[in-house]
Amino acid sequence: MRSRMIAFCCGVAAVSRFPDLPAIHAIWLVVLAVPLCVTWWRGPALMAIAAALLLGLGWAVGVGNAHVAALLPGDLEGEDFWVIGEVRGLPQTSARSQQFTFQVEQSCFTLLPDDCYRQPPELAARFNARKILLNHYSDADMIPDQRWLLRVRLNQPHGFANPGGFDYEGWLFQQGFMAKGYVRENPFNARLDDSSQLLALPSISLIRYHLRSRLLEAMRELPHASIILALVLGDQEQISAESWSLFTATGTNHLIVISGMHVAFIALLCYGLSNRLARLSPWLLLRIPAQKCGAVSAVLGAFVYCLLAGFSVPTQRSCIMVLVFMSGQLVGRQFPPSFSFCLALTLVLLINPLSVTGAGFWLSFGAVGTLLLAFGGIRRLRGANRRRSKKTDEFGSVDDDERPRWDGRRLWQQHVQPQYVVFIGMIVPLAIMMQQLSLLSPLANVLAIPLVNILVVPPALLGTLLLVIHAPLGTLLLTLANHVLGVVIWMLQGLTSHASGLVLWQFFGLTTASLVFACAGSLLMLMPRGWPSRWLALVMFLPLLFPQRQLLKDGVAELTVLDVGQGLAVVVQTATHVLVYDTGPRLSESFDTGSAVVFPFLRQGGLRRVDRLIVSHADNDHAGGLESVLKLLEVENIAGSTWPEEGGEPVNFALCEQGERWVWDGVTFEILHPSGGMTYAGNDSSCVLRIETGEQSVLLPGDIEVGAERHLLQQQGTALASDVLIAPHHGSRTSSSERFLEVVQPSVVLYSAGYRSQFGHPASAVVARYDALGAVPYNTALSGALSLRLGEVSGPVVPTEFRSSHRRYWFTRPTQESARLHGVGSPRLEVVKSRSRGGD
């Protein structure tokens, strides 16, 4: 049975790697699998496993097709229309807007809402029964359960697409969001009165909303209120970036979210209390065993806790795992832990096969699986002579189970060894999913887990419930939880301060071979003491310590224009050197593309050191990620037209100057602008860089406008000619003058712009100029990161598009109109479609 459940899960997991989903094939898979499943119990094992695999494939493909079909139609992107629906979940408030989940009941495509009843029913049903994510830039409070009529502008779920980066688009898809957008300012936006809601019971979202208000009021003076809010309601938005950094550095960030560990502890607490209380009633014991009372209470406790957290995807997974592991008590049978594990895995993917696309799924089940393997499977290899036999020495007989509670071996086995086991077992999953590992994690978790599980979570939950009944007592319990959190944070800060150089290990340049060796090393280290050649595990981990970077020949340069939305970030690699040109924007106080895009890209490429960082000019969309890049990477020297950060310039900073020229590994770099002795301001002060190798070249002009272009033509003339041009100022109408393009004569133009940019980049007039020259256009908004090699082969330069080479079926599919807006036109759209289908 376990092999069949694993086969089903493998079928579901395989679909997550599909670039596109088959339509009719999914139905045939299910039709073929159903008769085969008749043999599930009695038929040949191999046939049953094949049936389970096909059923998993068919189920995941069917659910994936349903989600893709429910996405916002491409022709509705960027259009204003009316939606009627209900606010769901907990709205998140920032300084500029509110972000909330909206369940669309009906859509309307008329100009005035009063005309909605006149539109055909099929038009009204075109986009309904969908969950969307909205931003509202107004003072109106969006409260759960409220019904609204709103004028909205939506796009399909979209995010950055870069090597090594987070797949935000996949996360939105997994969460079930069919569109993302914002509320348009309109006098007809209105809350709808619904008399039926007056008699209806409040939803879980509304209860959570009021509980959050009460908690914020009761904890307004507590320094760790945001963490308590995350532990009680799963609301992590108010946790500061400094707190996240501390918990990440110590490997304890799972403690400040409602993880499976917290849910399991609450379930065990409810089980123990109910079990003891049931034994006090002989009448109850004669009818229901105490173990069943405990199991029911454990499931109910876990379910209520998950409801408080909004029953999000991670908490659904935790609740299912508790239900499965308690099912043996409920039905009066004892299931092997491995069977319960496989059943929980199967149920999670049966309920939501898209869970497999999230890192939390793999990390959660990976940790539980590691513990089961270490304490249930491998430990059986110790042999019969180690099974509960009494050991006699000169002092008498002492059984392991009869040792005093303070015994050091028992302390190791119950509290320290599980953390060691999880740490070893999760090295490879964390390397793949997060590309980083906290070396302090075992020690930090040994110290923090008992405090958080026993002295923070239960008092915080009980205090939240008592706020409704007896506010002073509830506040007292919340204050206790806050003080304990203060102790935990103090300990974690102490650990990081005493081991600052060994806090967070970053995995640079991982390869498949290094991961396979590390996986074998993890298994070997989890073997019992005395296992032969156990020391080889240390050797197997060594490849993880030595990053592998791609090998380029002398005279070859690889240039990658990263997808940073409305901004610019370019990485240039030669055989032994790395140059970064701009770092993209800072989008909020806690998010910038330096840490979210540039650093992960360099990390996955095995690049720890940047030889030169050029900041073209001080605008946020080019210099917003500078601080993070300098913090996370070793940068040899920095150049720019001005220093964009506050404070003094670093000692390794120098101004860009026309005529500066250097050669790395046979590749020539030259600064063409700005020239000394002349004053430039704003965009025209951008550093212009030209890279040449062999017969191929690329021009990086930053945000220069017509004035700087004219000056460049006077100074450089035909020396500006380049095969590849990154469109100046993202394709703005104030740049890319006809005379400038006639001299540069690019065969390829690369636009770095936001998806459906509010600035209208690239401008249609600019696109027409490039089309007239015959330059082939690419846009990071549709292609993701664009990579090209110079000097490797002669002939036209053809960039590699990340969204094509690493395509997943949930990636946004560009429509004809979307291609036109992003300057790639109809011919280019056909190329994109051909590549997504695997064509040449």
Side-chain angles (χ1 to χ4, degrees):
M1 184 66 175
R2 277 167 286 198
S3 60
R4 296 154 196 173
M5 289 190 287
I6 292 174
F8 174 85
C9 296
C10 288
V12 173
V15 176
S16 67
R17 312 300 297 176
F18 284 12
D20 286 291
L21 291 176
I24 192 65
H25 299 80
I27 301 175
W28 285 113
L29 281 174
V30 176
V31 170
L32 180 62
V34 168
L36 288 175
C37 284
V38 176
T39 63
W40 182 284
W41 297 100
R42 300 180 181 274
L46 194 58
M47 186 177 293
I49 291 173
L53 180 67
L54 289 175
L55 194 61
L57 285 168
W59 176 245
V61 169
V63 173
N65 272 319
H67 275 67
V68 170
L71 290 174
L72 178 75
D75 61 323
L76 293 183
E77 282 194 296
E79 299 293 329
D80 293 350
F81 60 95
W82 298 99
V83 291
I84 297 174
E86 188 176 280
V87 178
R88 299 282 179 87
L90 285 180
Q92 302 298 332
T93 303
S94 65
R96 298 178 57 243
S97 67
Q98 294 179 82
Q99 188 175 75
F100 60 96
T101 300
F102 194 74
Q103 185 68 31
V104 178
E105 301 170 0
Q106 180 183 342
S107 54
C108 175
F109 302 96
T110 61
L111 180 61
L112 298 175
D114 291 341
D115 297 331
C116 287
Y117 69 93
R118 298 176 183 170
Q119 70 176 356
E122 60 274 12
L123 195 59
R126 190 176 178 207
F127 189 72
N128 62 353
R130 310 291 210 283
K131 185 169 76 169
I132 63 176
L133 189 63
L134 288 176
N135 286 304
H136 195 10
Y137 301 91
S138 78
D139 298 330
D141 288 331
M142 311 305 291
I143 299 176
D145 288 6
Q146 288 182 348
R147 297 183 70 251
W148 284 80
L149 169 69
L150 298 172
R151 188 78 168 173
V152 298
R153 179 175 293 181
L154 304 177
N155 290 323
Q156 291 182 351
H158 192 86
F160 300 148
N162 298 284
F166 175 66
D167 185 6
Y168 179 64
E169 205 165 322
W171 180 86
L172 289 172
F173 191 81
Q174 178 199 6
Q175 298 297 316
F177 290 110
M178 300 304 157
K180 187 175 183 292
Y182 63 98
V183 179
R184 299 282 288 170
E185 287 297 325
N186 193 290
F188 295 106
N189 288 340
R191 179 185 171 187
L192 303 177
D193 295 326
D194 192 347
S195 57
S196 63
Q197 288 187 337
L198 298 176
L199 301 177
L201 293 175
S203 68
I204 295 299
S205 296
L206 186 59
I207 293 174
R208 294 176 68 225
Y209 178 84
H210 289 306
L211 281 177
R212 182 175 69 171
S213 301
R214 283 180 176 266
L215 283 169
L216 290 175
E217 177 64 23
M219 301 189 300
R220 61 181 180 274
E221 297 181 359
L222 300 183
H224 308 301
S226 59
I227 300 177
I228 295 176
L229 206 61
L231 289 171
V232 173
L233 298 177
D235 183 7
Q236 307 167 26
E237 296 299 323
Q238 300 188 44
I239 299 177
S240 65
E242 292 76 15
S243 296
W244 276 119
S245 298
L246 175 65
F247 291 123
T248 301
T250 54
T252 54
N253 44 6
H254 64 99
L255 292 178
I256 56 173
V257 298
I258 301 181
S259 62
M261 182 183 64
H262 295 323
V263 176
F265 181 81
I266 292 300
L268 289 175
L269 184 62
C270 293
Y271 178 89
L273 290 175
S274 298
N275 196 331
R276 292 296 179 91
L277 292 175
R279 295 177 188 273
L280 299 177
S281 172
W283 178 87
L284 182 62
L285 282 178
L286 290 173
R287 290 160 178 80
I288 305 176
Q291 292 86 348
K292 285 193 176 183
C293 291
V296 171
S297 298
V299 172
L300 289 177
F303 182 72
V304 171
Y305 191 20
C306 291
L307 284 181
L308 276 178
F311 220 63
S312 59
V313 172
T315 55
Q316 290 174 24
R317 182 172 60 245
S318 304
C319 193
I320 290 172
M321 292 179 73
V322 169
L323 176 62
V324 169
F325 279 93
M326 286 293 171
S327 59
Q329 299 282 354
L330 293 172
V331 301
R333 294 181 58 186
Q334 186 174 2
F335 297 118
S338 59
F339 175 84
S340 299
F341 176 80
C342 292
L343 182 58
L345 190 66
T346 303
L347 287 177
V348 166
L349 294 183
L350 191 62
I351 293 173
N352 184 7
L354 300 176
S355 299
V356 77
T357 62
F361 170 86
W362 297 99
L363 297 179
S364 176
F365 278 104
V368 175
T370 298
L371 290 171
L372 291 178
L373 180 65
F375 295 104
I378 292 178
R379 291 299 183 258
R380 294 177 183 175
L381 299 173
R382 292 180 181 273
N385 61 329
R386 303 290 299 273
R387 292 179 184 173
R388 303 177 64 86
S389 60
K390 292 187 176 181
K391 300 176 183 179
T392 306
D393 57 19
E394 56 180 329
F395 297 103
S397 297
V398 179
D399 190 5
D400 284 349
D401 295 335
E402 297 174 0
R403 291 180 182 274
R405 293 183 180 276
W406 48 264
D407 182 72
R409 183 177 177 182
R410 183 183 296 274
L411 179 65
W412 161 261
Q413 290 178 343
Q414 293 184 355
H415 300 288
V416 181
Q417 191 178 19
Q419 296 306 318
Y420 161 78
V421 165
V422 170
F423 176 77
I424 295 300
M426 297 305 291
I427 289 177
V428 173
L430 284 170
I432 296 173
M433 300 291 173
M434 303 299 179
Q435 293 86 49
Q436 61 185 18
L437 174 71
S438 171
L439 301 180
L440 297 175
S441 176
L443 178 58
N445 279 284
V446 166
L447 297 174
I449 284 177
L451 292 175
V452 174
N453 275 347
I454 298 173
L455 297 179
V456 175
V457 175
L461 287 173
L462 186 57
T464 301
L465 297 178
L466 287 175
L467 282 179
V468 183
I469 304 171
H470 192 277
L473 182 56
T475 303
L476 179 63
L477 288 173
L478 292 170
T479 304
L480 170 64
N482 177 78
H483 289 326
V484 177
L485 275 174
V487 174
V488 172
I489 290 175
W490 173 76
M491 289 192 305
L492 298 180
Q493 289 173 338
L495 287 176
T496 56
S497 63
H498 286 88
S500 57
L502 298 172
V503 173
L504 200 61
W505 182 267
Q506 302 285 350
F507 292 101
F508 285 82
L510 290 174
T511 62
T512 303
S514 65
L515 292 173
V516 170
F517 274 102
C519 191
S522 296
L523 289 174
L524 196 55
M525 287 195 72
L526 294 176
M527 290 296 178
R529 283 182 301 175
W531 190 266
S533 304
R534 197 165 172 236
W535 60 272
L536 282 175
L538 297 177
V539 178
M540 292 179 176
F541 283 117
L542 288 179
L544 292 179
L545 307 181
F546 299 98
Q548 299 294 317
R549 57 179 291 177
Q550 61 178 343
L551 299 178
L552 298 175
K553 298 179 181 178
D554 283 349
V556 175
E558 180 169 276
L559 179 143
T560 303
V561 182
L562 297 172
D563 179 11
V564 294
Q566 188 63 32
L568 182 64
V570 182
V571 176
V572 183
Q573 303 174 58
T574 65
T576 61
H577 294 83
V578 177
L579 179 142
V580 174
Y581 182 92
D582 285 340
T583 58
R586 173 178 289 276
L587 300 178
S588 69
E589 293 182 0
S590 59
F591 184 88
D592 66 81
T593 53
S595 59
V597 176
V598 178
F599 173 68
F601 172 79
L602 294 172
R603 179 175 59 188
Q604 65 86 34
L607 306 173
R608 297 177 180 269
R609 181 174 179 271
V610 175
D611 296 280
R612 191 163 202 186
L613 171 61
I614 297 179
V615 183
S616 63
H617 62 301
D619 283 0
N620 174 65
D621 58 336
H622 292 254
L626 174 62
E627 182 180 352
S628 294
V629 170
L630 295 178
K631 180 181 178 180
L632 296 169
L633 293 162
E634 177 188 351
V635 179
E636 181 68 19
N637 61 71
I638 312 168
S641 58
T642 183
W643 179 247
E645 297 289 332
E646 296 180 359
E649 301 172 356
V651 294
N652 59 344
F653 174 79
L655 293 175
C656 291
E657 290 190 10
Q658 177 185 342
E660 184 181 0
R661 190 173 182 271
W662 67 97
V663 179
W664 284 345
D665 308 312
V667 181
T668 303
F669 298 78
E670 185 177 3
I671 300 292
L672 304 182
H673 182 80
S675 58
M678 299 192 67
T679 302
Y680 299 94
N683 292 334
D684 278 342
S685 67
S686 297
C687 299
V688 178
L689 175 69
R690 187 174 183 271
I691 305 170
E692 183 177 7
T693 175
E695 298 178 354
Q696 297 173 332
S697 58
V698 60
L699 185 64
L700 290 76
D703 273 359
I704 61 170
E705 298 183 346
V706 174
E709 291 178 356
R710 188 181 302 115
H711 178 74
L712 270 173
L713 291 171
Q714 295 172 355
Q715 296 287 323
Q716 303 295 332
T718 57
L720 289 172
S722 302
D723 299 277
V724 180
L725 173 65
I726 298 180
H729 199 187
H730 320 288
S732 167
R733 66 180 72 253
T734 60
S735 305
S736 300
S737 60
E738 292 184 10
R739 177 58 184 159
F740 180 75
L741 297 186
E742 288 173 359
V743 173
V744 177
Q745 283 292 316
S747 60
V748 173
V749 58
L750 308 179
Y751 299 108
S752 180
Y755 185 73
R756 290 187 168 267
S757 167
Q758 61 178 324
F759 302 102
H761 295 161
S764 56
V766 171
V767 171
R769 292 174 202 155
Y770 284 107
D771 287 346
L773 286 174
V776 181
Y778 294 82
N779 195 321
T780 57
L782 295 186
S783 302
L786 293 165
S787 299
L788 53 90
R789 287 195 178 184
L790 304 174
E792 188 171 54
V793 294
S794 59
V797 178
V798 180
T800 299
E801 302 166 88
F802 182 79
R803 284 185 177 270
S804 297
S805 60
H806 294 75
R807 181 166 178 75
R808 295 293 178 263
Y809 70 84
W810 54 80
F811 279 180
T812 302
R813 289 160 173 76
T815 62
Q816 201 86 350
E817 176 63 16
S818 181
R820 184 192 64 79
L821 285 175
H822 293 93
V824 298
S826 303
R828 282 286 307 125
L829 179 61
E830 292 305 317
V831 175
V832 171
K833 287 183 176 179
S834 173
R835 291 183 178 177
S836 69
R837 292 192 296 265
D840 294 329

